[in-house]
Amino acid sequence: MKTIFLVDDSATILLSISNILGKAGYATEKAGSGEEALKKFQAGVKVDLLITDLNMPGINGIELIKEVRKLPAYKFIPILFLTTESQQSRKLEAKAAGASGWIVKPATADELLNTIKLVLR
């Protein structure tokens, strides 16, 4: 079973996505902030994919990706952004930080699961 790490400052979004992923057969790890997520990564959490929000207080999604990519165990882990932003400049900034892909909220369960399947091949 693949484990997906969800990072979002919205408890509703975390619960909603976690439920979708659970029904699709994925295990989830969750964090409500970039700081909380980074601590779990530094402690060696075992995950197959990171899905992070972009706009969060404290460490935002781009800063989180940069920090996660510095950790040898996570250098090549797939990372998806799940955000309301769709500007090309933000997408390029995320890609430069190490993001593998981008999902614009609100995403349907099918859009989410299809994108996850693509990056977890």
Side-chain angles (χ1 to χ4, degrees):
M1 178 186 286
K2 301 272 187 186
T3 301
I4 299 174
F5 197 152
L6 305 171
V7 186
D8 201 304
D9 57 327
S10 164
T12 307
I13 300 264
L14 283 178
L15 184 62
S16 167
I17 295 173
S18 184
N19 285 338
I20 291 167
L21 296 177
K23 287 177 187 164
Y26 295 103
T28 56
E29 181 73 43
K30 296 184 283 287
S33 70
E35 290 85 354
E36 183 186 347
L38 190 54
K39 283 180 187 154
K40 289 184 178 188
F41 276 110
Q42 290 167 336
V45 67
K46 299 277 184 246
V47 296
D48 299 289
L49 168 66
L50 168 62
I51 299 178
T52 183
D53 188 14
L54 174 59
N55 298 308
M56 298 182 288
I59 296 177
N60 71 28
I62 288 175
E63 292 163 344
L64 175 62
I65 289 177
K66 287 178 181 174
E67 292 304 312
V68 168
R69 288 287 187 226
K70 290 178 188 173
L71 302 169
Y74 307 104
K75 214 175 208 59
F76 303 108
I77 185 175
I79 299 175
L80 292 175
F81 261 122
L82 181 66
T83 183
T84 54
E85 294 201 30
S86 58
Q87 298 98 328
Q88 192 61 30
S89 62
R90 292 302 254 172
K91 288 181 182 180
L92 293 172
E93 187 181 355
K95 194 152 189 63
S100 313
W102 191 282
I103 303 168
V104 178
K105 290 186 220 174
T108 67
D110 285 343
E111 287 171 325
L112 182 66
L113 295 171
N114 288 337
T115 304
I116 288 169
K117 283 179 190 144
L118 282 174
V119 298
L120 284 180
R121 279 187 184 167

